[in-house]
Amino acid sequence: DLIGPDFLERGIAMASGGACNLVIADLKGFGAWEYAWHVPEYSARDLKYSNMFHCSALFHKSLWQAVPRGYPIETLFGYEDWAFWIFAEEMLEGGIRPCYIHEELFRYRIRPDSMHQSLLKNQEYSIASLRMLHPNLFPSELIVSAHDKFLGINSEVWAAGTKEVRAKVPVKVFSTVDDKINKFPWSGPLRTIRGLLLEGTGDLEAAMEEYELAGLLSGPQDWQPRWRLGLVQQRLGLHDHGNATLSALHRDFDGIAHLYRNLASLSEQRVLRGPLHVRAARAAEPAEKDEL
């Protein structure tokens, strides 16, 4: 890739005024084919659903310092920069304040075998991994849909509703997750993704082990490992254990009982479940019993 000879000079001058903490220029693709991308006006709301910056922005050190570990390592095939921008917007006081140079000063080299082309071939899994990094930012429907993607669930189900038709998850996804876990064995989100892949192949015992480990490794705000663990326990017929897991999760996170109650409409996975009896609900809230 190439940047214009005066981009850094102009960008630093713009950022030094304090009006912005990120400077970005328009993009010109070259190489195997050509295209242009004029960077859109920034919206923190839209950033969740569309990457609004390319990878060659000039940004203030405060953005990097606001995000623990910098670029997240859990996204698959790419989009680390997009995941980083989302974290920066969430964690930096005042969020991202961009300035623009609407000239094509970033030249992006295009090759048929580039990382970006690999990303485009596996984009649905990359986006799913990105959303799973932000379980309390995206609507729960999108998180459950991301889980379905790694479970390998197709949109078609036999009319009887007892057998799932699975869209085979590419081998590249399995190998990429394994490679990342070998490098970053302490990553809870990667363990959750591996649990989903194992669950999708029917290895529920191994999936349960991954979810238990992911629960220990993930931060306290990530409800996904315990959610998946409770559902697998239900699938295995361990209804008492599943109820205990999901009941405890409900006490920590609003909306879990609603998610459980509506799982049949949110996910294409069919889980043979018992009723969820929420025990020892929070003070000032009546105990709930969700008959499903």
Side-chain angles (χ1 to χ4, degrees):
D1 300 339
L2 304 170
I3 59 173
D6 61 346
F7 171 69
L8 292 178
E9 180 181 359
R10 294 170 65 182
I12 290 173
M14 294 176 73
S16 298
C20 55
N21 53 19
L22 180 148
V23 180
I24 191 164
D26 292 337
L27 177 152
K28 178 70 173 181
F30 73 100
W33 59 88
E34 293 188 356
Y35 75 102
W37 184 46
H38 293 176
V39 180
E41 291 299 311
Y42 181 62
S43 163
R45 180 184 61 186
D46 292 345
L47 179 64
K48 296 187 296 184
Y49 303 103
S50 177
N51 190 1
M52 308 195 76
F53 306 115
H54 55 64
C55 59
S56 245
L58 179 70
F59 59 89
H60 197 275
K61 189 175 181 180
S62 60
L63 270 72
W64 188 260
Q65 293 173 328
V67 181
R69 298 189 289 113
Y71 268 22
I73 50 87
E74 288 88 358
T75 58
L76 306 183
F77 306 109
Y79 282 152
E80 296 92 346
D81 55 335
W82 186 8
F84 173 76
W85 304 133
I86 294 174
F87 273 122
E89 178 60 42
E90 282 188 291
M91 306 180 82
L92 179 67
E93 184 177 357
I96 298 175
R97 305 188 312 278
C99 289
Y100 302 93
I101 302 176
H102 285 302
E103 300 174 31
E104 295 170 358
L105 299 181
F106 175 48
R107 294 180 57 80
Y108 183 73
R109 190 184 304 274
I110 302 171
R111 300 193 315 271
D113 59 344
S114 69
M115 185 188 77
H116 186 65
Q117 297 308 307
S118 177
L119 165 65
L120 294 179
K121 293 176 184 176
N122 299 280
Q123 190 173 34
E124 55 195 319
Y125 298 98
S126 185
I127 292 176
S129 67
L130 181 146
R131 288 175 176 166
M132 287 177 61
L133 283 178
H134 304 274
N136 302 304
L137 177 66
F138 289 98
S140 57
E141 294 89 344
L142 290 182
I143 301 300
V144 171
S145 176
H147 292 185
D148 279 2
K149 183 59 60 178
F150 289 111
L151 289 168
I153 295 176
N154 199 309
S155 59
E156 299 178 4
V157 179
W158 295 119
T162 57
K163 183 177 180 180
E164 296 166 358
V165 181
R166 296 188 178 276
K168 186 176 181 181
V169 177
V171 173
K172 182 68 172 177
V173 175
F174 283 85
S175 62
T176 299
V177 172
D178 287 342
D179 289 344
K180 280 183 170 285
I181 288 179
N182 287 336
K183 294 177 182 177
F184 312 107
W186 40 261
S187 170
L190 287 174
R191 294 286 181 176
T192 301
I193 292 175
R194 176 185 270 177
L196 289 163
L197 294 172
L198 291 168
E199 185 180 349
T201 63
D203 194 346
L204 301 186
E205 297 287 349
M208 197 158 55
E209 291 180 4
E210 290 293 337
Y211 294 143
E212 289 173 340
L213 181 56
L216 295 174
L217 294 172
S218 298
Q221 297 304 312
D222 190 354
W223 50 267
Q224 298 172 99
R226 284 190 285 166
W227 167 254
R228 297 309 316 179
L229 176 62
L231 293 182
V232 167
Q233 289 168 332
Q234 295 277 23
R235 291 187 69 190
L236 288 171
L238 305 172
H239 295 301
D240 287 343
H241 293 286
N243 189 77
T245 300
L246 295 171
S247 177
L249 187 61
H250 168 80
R251 292 194 297 270
D252 294 337
F253 293 93
D254 293 330
I256 291 297
H258 172 80
L259 189 60
Y260 187 88
R261 186 186 306 118
N262 293 283
L263 184 59
S265 62
L266 297 178
S267 172
E268 295 176 37
Q269 184 187 35
R270 298 296 172 253
V271 180
L272 298 176
R273 300 167 291 157
L276 173 59
H277 302 274
V278 178
R279 304 166 184 148
R282 288 180 292 242
E285 289 186 359
E288 296 182 26
K289 178 182 176 180
D290 295 325
E291 298 289 354
L292 299 172

